[in-house]
Amino acid sequence: MDRGRFLVGLTGGIGSGKSTVADMFAAHGVPIVDTDAVAHALTAPGGAAIPAIREAFGEAVIAEDGALDRAAMRTIVFGDAAARRKLEAILHPMIGHCCELMIEEATGPYTIVVVPLLVESGRWRERVDRLLVVDCPVETQIARVMQRNRFERAQVEAIIATQATREARLAAADDVVDNGGDAESLAPQVDALHRRYLELAGQRA
Ligand code: ADP
């Protein structure tokens, strides 16, 4: 059993408000480890995952600047489960390793790791001490992502279809931030959770 620092996993569907909520915890001084940011860094020009990806998929998925060509990669893995698994087999252990290093180096009474597909991931579910879900209705997710990313409704719906359902996430949650309303309703919820996590981390120490 893990005896390291108290670790809260923060998740939620696309557009639910994970980044918004993570920023509010960060404002309390809580260290945030963001798995998406780590994945981006690993696949940026000179990123540690680039050689293995080049080896597995060829030059066609490497952009001119040496970064992963995300559009080309998406085309390959779309509808090809074996290719997707091959990419994940390269990336997931590297992401896990980098995140563990960052968690180890983080200072503070507890740490938050942001994992968009946490409920879908056996590894992260086992790793975190507490699972925090940012929740809002699916229609709200769709509206936010259409606005933020300039996506068509069908694009957002297709992404949502690949993620755990709202019900599955809520069933797995220890704590829930209700982000179905306006942004002002978030601060009191985050403040209360921060106090709770300080308490839980204190009991553990
Ligand atoms: P996620 O990280 O889960 O994809 P974000 O935190 O990026 O979600 O939020 C998605 C979009 O919706 C962003 O543009 C954000 O500014 C906006 N947003 C988040 N929460 C609210 C809210 N309560 N009211 C209005 N807009 C919001």
Side-chain angles (χ1 to χ4, degrees), residues 34-45:
D34 181 335
T35 53
D36 263 1
V38 168
H40 255 85
L42 287 169
T43 54

Side-chain angles (χ1 to χ4, degrees), residues 12-21 134 144-145 147-148 179-186:
I14 184 168
S16 59
K18 293 179 296 295
S19 309
T20 306
V21 170
V134 182
R144 285 181 187 155
V145 178
Q147 192 172 29
R148 181 188 65 187
N179 191 26
D182 52 35
E184 285 80 67
S185 68
L186 291 175

Side-chain angles (χ1 to χ4, degrees), residues 179-202:
N179 191 26
D182 52 35
E184 285 80 67
S185 68
L186 291 175
Q189 299 184 71
V190 169
D191 290 356
L193 284 166
H194 179 55
R195 283 194 297 274
R196 179 99 182 100
Y197 295 151
L198 288 176
E199 198 180 299
L200 287 170

